[in-house]
Amino acid sequence: MNRKATALDVAKRAGVSRSAVSLVLNGRGDGNVAKESQDRIRQAAQELNYSPNAIALSLRNQRSRVIGILSDEVVVSPFDGNIIGGADDVARSRGFVTVVMDTERDTARDASAIETLLDRQVDGLMYVTVGLKPIEVPQGMLRVPSVLANCYDAHPEPQLHHVIPDEVTGGREATDHLLQMGHTDIALLAGSSDSPAAPLRVQGYRDAFATAGLNASEGRIHMAGWDIDAGYHGAMKLLDGVSPSDRPTAIMCANDRLAVGVALAAARLGLNVPTDLSIMGYDDETRIADTMVPALTTMALPLREMGRAAMTTLLDALEGADRAGAETTKETMVPCRLVVRESTGPVPTR
Amino acid sequence: MNRKATALDVAKRAGVSRSAVSLVLNGRGDGNVAKESQDRIRQAAQELNYSPNAIALSLRNQRSRVIGILSDEVVVSPFDGNIIGGADDVARSRGFVTVVMDTERDTARDASAIETLLDRQVDGLMYVTVGLKPIEVPQGMLRVPSVLANCYDAHPEPQLHHVIPDEVTGGREATDHLLQMGHTDIALLAGSSDSPAAPLRVQGYRDAFATAGLNASEGRIHMAGWDIDAGYHGAMKLLDGVSPSDRPTAIMCANDRLAVGVALAAARLGLNVPTDLSIMGYDDETRIADTMVPALTTMALPLREMGRAAMTTLLDALEGADRAGAETTKETMVPCRLVVRESTGPVPTR
DNA sequence: TTGAAAGCGCTACCAT
DNA sequence: ATGGTAGCGCTTTCAA
């Protein structure tokens, strides 16, 4: 708990001035400081285990090389953490550090959290949410370069760039996968409309049918919620006591938890997956989709890529502040990725 | 992106000196500054939307009221986020803010992350992990008051206070619950020994039997891993093709995911839960245990409480630095909490 | 009651 | 090539 060495300590030890230390340690020694002084300085710094005080640096330079990440509940919830992971990856690789604050879904805390971050001189801000959603962009975010990840400005005239998954294409390709295996009666457990992702995925489902020249039967689309029990009860309604010819041959779910519920229902009804029924998930939730029995075929959300893309956009804006107006597009859509595992198979012959 | 107002701006606007502003805004105005100056200052501050520059404050005061939280993978993984939530709760209520850095399980990054935090003048440090585990305490943590949450110093002579769940009691009470419902043949899917939590929970299981005057049959304890498939296959081994009289009447799992696998197996075998088989989980994982069908009886990990306790310990040490040596105990054990839902019931009569 | 000045650790610009 | 100095925004002491 003893005080850290300062540049002055290093200077004393090396028998030079503070300025010399600063120059050398910042690589501007050559041509300014004698070679041998340089060595002594570096040596002294090493011995004292010197590293510059970032606070003083920030105050002096008016920039901190810190990016503040504001999370609605990414930290405390089990979801979407990899967005932050991806963002941090690129931040670190470019010499920035990220600090995260989580408001636990209390938007009233947004402003104060941002104020806190801003007061600490963050060079940029990123807002990240669990699940795609429109947000009210907190005023403070406009004071520094900022970006939105997995969410977007609810206003008609958006100020900030956002990075979101391409849900329509995701829904379409998930459906395509089933279509290609010969399924035509595909039920859709579609989440609930409190999330904008749900209707988008439904849209993709419809598009896939349309492209295939088939009619998506609207009666097969059920807004079911997002959890295991919803999947279970939804599947039961679709399958229990229904004659095989009237059953859907595949159930597509708006997330993996629904798929777990469906699998549970299928097991209870003595239906084998995938020979009697194909089940398709969405999200590729870690340690759910990959460890289910059978392992879930699913549409992976590109979380890490989204985080990377968002941070890249932000840092580009930050570092290229000179060559102005380079930024034109306000939206990045990252494609989802089909992960084929064991819960889907060819349509049963009957 | 225009510069924020400084204390000098406020002073000018109010027609006073910087010191006056400082005094008033820090509540030391009375007796030092004229009442009406005070009003003008407060007014000006308001109008300019002034808030002090935290960087300058930290530099000046040598403390930042920031607590750094270092996470091994709490942020990016789906688990244990509420530890951070709880920690943040108490930090905020005591006027501190927390910033989180996640190393994504790369312990090589520990030291540099801590250095970063330290360079930014954090007043204290908290190390938090996913799952109970021993850690190598990074040197830097000893330079400021620090605490360990959900992990503990691997060394024989621990320096830091740690907060962990009481796994033995948790295992015991979970088993007790089953015992009390008349089960005596209770299988245990015990996770794997790469986690210190597993043997502790097993210990609790044995203790419960011992206390009840029963023999825990060691043959019923299976180190099975932690995921759904492990639960599924473990249960299949226990149940499939086994005559009802040789089947365990209850399966206790070392986490909820195992329990999901067990439920899946039971469903496939036509076994009803809980009338044919009771299933007990562990962790009370959000949106898993509570939404399973049937909803899982489980032993809840006191995540939020652990976070709260850890932060309380840390801030007490920080703020009570004067009255020294108050801290004697190095360990806080937080009790787990039995949550009875629908997956457990009386032993079947046969 | 008020204002001037020092100093937290650092870098950049001056003189020397 | 080197060292002195100003100043980032703030609080605190001291003089007026």
Side-chain angles (χ1 to χ4, degrees):
Chain A
M1 249 178 260
N2 40 4
R3 230 174 38 72
K4 265 192 50 171
T6 75
L8 184 56
D9 296 327
V10 177
K12 274 195 195 135
R13 189 181 188 92
V16 299
S17 77
R18 302 221 300 282
S19 356
V21 173
S22 171
L23 284 176
V24 171
L25 265 26
N26 290 317
R28 237 152 333 109
D30 288 348
N32 289 313
V33 179
K35 271 266 174 291
E36 71 155 16
S37 300
Q38 296 201 29
D39 292 342
R40 262 182 299 129
I41 288 170
R42 263 185 276 269
Q43 167 108 27
Q46 182 99 56
E47 289 167 4
L48 294 174
N49 199 355
Y50 171 77
S51 72
N53 179 320
I55 292 285
L57 260 179
S58 303
L59 184 58
R60 167 71 230 217
N61 296 338
Q62 304 290 61
R63 14 179 239 87
S64 58
R65 299 196 80 75
V66 174
I67 303 296
I69 298 183
L70 200 67
S71 136
D72 70 334
E73 54 168 338
V74 176
V75 175
V76 299
S77 89
F79 308 105
D80 297 359
N82 278 317
I83 299 180
I84 293 179
D88 191 55
D89 278 350
V90 348
R92 281 189 309 123
S93 79
R94 292 173 66 162
F96 285 79
V97 320
T98 58
V99 302
V100 186
M101 295 189 62
D102 190 294
T103 60
E104 301 205 45
R105 224 167 41 259
D106 178 359
T107 49
R109 285 169 56 186
D110 277 358
S112 95
I114 286 181
E115 214 53 49
T116 299
L117 256 7
L118 248 24
D119 283 345
R120 308 203 69 78
Q121 301 273 36
V122 292
D123 292 343
L125 247 17
M126 173 164 156
Y127 197 109
V128 48
T129 59
V130 166
L132 181 64
K133 66 185 62 152
I135 63 163
E136 198 71 35
V137 173
Q139 263 308 309
M141 289 195 77
L142 304 177
R143 300 181 58 90
V144 294
S146 298
V147 67
L148 271 17
N150 210 17
C151 50
Y152 53 90
D153 192 338
H155 279 282
E157 201 47 68
Q159 306 274 299
L160 261 26
H161 190 106
H162 63 250
V163 176
I164 57 176
D166 187 348
E167 302 280 14
V168 175
T169 305
R172 177 159 49 69
E173 293 183 346
T175 312
D176 267 346
H177 168 70
L178 262 6
L179 253 16
Q180 270 164 31
M181 295 187 111
H183 299 272
T184 53
D185 189 354
I186 304 171
L188 176 58
L189 263 27
S192 70
S193 49
D194 56 3
S195 160
L200 259 17
R201 292 172 188 180
V202 171
Q203 182 61 47
Y205 168 88
R206 291 196 180 108
D207 289 356
F209 274 90
T211 306
L214 264 28
N215 276 336
S217 50
E218 294 297 319
R220 282 308 201 194
I221 303 178
H222 302 276
M223 298 313 267
W226 299 101
D227 288 305
I228 297 176
D229 48 357
Y232 178 83
H233 295 119
M236 277 305 199
K237 209 166 297 170
L238 252 11
L239 304 172
D240 191 17
V242 178
S243 82
S245 59
D246 289 339
R247 285 197 306 244
T249 60
I251 300 183
M252 176 169 148
C253 303
N255 73 6
D256 292 334
R257 293 174 184 237
L258 286 166
V260 169
V262 172
L264 210 47
R268 195 142 311 174
L269 296 174
L271 260 26
N272 190 68
V273 178
T275 50
D276 296 323
L277 177 76
S278 282
I279 302 177
M280 173 98 207
Y282 206 113
D283 288 359
D284 194 22
E285 230 191 289
T286 317
R287 316 241 332 242
I288 299 268
D290 51 340
T291 70
M292 261 299 281
V293 185
L296 252 32
T297 294
T298 190
M299 185 57 62
L301 237 26
L303 299 172
R304 193 162 280 269
E305 293 85 341
M306 288 165 59
R308 298 182 61 88
M311 186 57 77
T312 301
T313 304
L314 177 57
L315 295 187
D316 284 352
L318 209 60
E319 303 195 311
D322 1 307
R323 39 187 169 81
E327 167 111 6
T328 63
T329 159
K330 289 281 186 202
E331 172 171 281
T332 303
M333 278 236 210
V334 186
C336 300
R337 202 174 44 245
L338 178 68
V339 179
V340 178
R341 286 195 272 246
E342 291 133 32
S343 65
T344 52
V347 65
T349 54
R350 50 188 176 199
Chain B
M1 250 180 260
N2 42 4
R3 233 174 35 73
K4 265 192 52 171
T6 75
L8 184 57
D9 296 328
V10 176
K12 274 192 195 139
R13 189 180 189 96
V16 298
S17 76
R18 301 222 302 282
S19 1
V21 173
S22 172
L23 285 177
V24 171
L25 265 26
N26 290 318
R28 236 149 338 108
D30 289 348
N32 288 314
V33 179
K35 271 266 174 293
E36 73 154 15
S37 300
Q38 296 200 28
D39 290 343
R40 261 182 299 127
I41 288 170
R42 263 185 275 269
Q43 167 109 27
Q46 180 99 55
E47 287 167 4
L48 294 174
N49 199 357
Y50 171 77
S51 71
N53 179 319
I55 293 284
L57 260 179
S58 302
L59 184 58
R60 167 69 230 218
N61 297 338
Q62 302 289 62
R63 10 179 246 89
S64 58
R65 300 197 79 75
V66 173
I67 302 297
I69 299 184
L70 200 67
S71 134
D72 69 335
E73 55 169 336
V74 176
V75 175
V76 298
S77 89
F79 308 104
D80 299 359
N82 278 317
I83 300 181
I84 293 179
D88 191 55
D89 277 350
V90 347
R92 281 189 308 121
S93 79
R94 291 172 66 162
F96 285 79
V97 320
T98 58
V99 302
V100 185
M101 296 189 62
D102 191 294
T103 60
E104 301 206 47
R105 223 164 45 257
D106 178 359
T107 49
R109 285 169 56 188
D110 278 358
S112 96
I114 286 181
E115 214 52 47
T116 300
L117 257 7
L118 249 24
D119 282 344
R120 305 204 70 78
Q121 300 275 36
V122 294
D123 292 344
L125 247 18
M126 173 164 154
Y127 196 110
V128 48
T129 58
V130 166
L132 180 64
K133 66 185 62 152
I135 64 163
E136 199 71 32
V137 174
Q139 264 308 310
M141 288 196 77
L142 303 177
R143 300 182 58 89
V144 293
S146 298
V147 68
L148 271 20
N150 211 19
C151 50
Y152 52 91
D153 191 339
H155 279 283
E157 200 49 66
Q159 306 273 300
L160 259 29
H161 191 107
H162 63 250
V163 176
I164 57 175
D166 187 347
E167 301 280 13
V168 175
T169 305
R172 178 159 47 71
E173 293 182 346
T175 311
D176 268 346
H177 168 71
L178 261 9
L179 253 16
Q180 270 163 31
M181 294 185 113
H183 299 272
T184 52
D185 189 354
I186 305 171
L188 175 58
L189 262 29
S192 70
S193 49
D194 56 3
S195 159
L200 260 16
R201 292 173 189 178
V202 171
Q203 182 60 47
Y205 167 89
R206 291 195 180 111
D207 288 357
F209 274 90
T211 307
L214 264 28
N215 276 337
S217 50
E218 294 297 320
R220 283 306 201 196
I221 304 177
H222 301 275
M223 298 314 268
W226 298 102
D227 287 305
I228 298 177
D229 48 356
Y232 178 83
H233 294 118
M236 276 305 197
K237 210 165 298 171
L238 252 13
L239 305 172
D240 191 18
V242 177
S243 82
S245 59
D246 290 339
R247 286 198 305 245
T249 60
I251 300 183
M252 177 168 147
C253 303
N255 74 7
D256 291 335
R257 291 169 187 239
L258 286 167
V260 169
V262 172
L264 210 47
R268 193 142 311 173
L269 296 174
L271 261 26
N272 190 70
V273 177
T275 50
D276 296 322
L277 177 76
S278 282
I279 302 178
M280 173 99 208
Y282 206 113
D283 288 359
D284 194 22
E285 230 190 291
T286 317
R287 317 240 329 243
I288 299 268
D290 51 340
T291 70
M292 262 297 283
V293 186
L296 252 32
T297 294
T298 190
M299 183 59 60
L301 236 26
L303 299 172
R304 194 160 279 270
E305 292 84 342
M306 287 165 58
R308 299 182 60 89
M311 187 56 77
T312 301
T313 304
L314 178 56
L315 296 187
D316 284 352
L318 211 60
E319 303 195 310
D322 359 308
R323 38 186 169 82
E327 167 111 5
T328 62
T329 159
K330 288 281 186 200
E331 172 171 281
T332 304
M333 280 237 211
V334 186
C336 299
R337 204 173 45 245
L338 178 69
V339 179
V340 178
R341 287 195 271 246
E342 289 134 34
S343 66
T344 52
V347 65
T349 54
R350 47 192 174 194

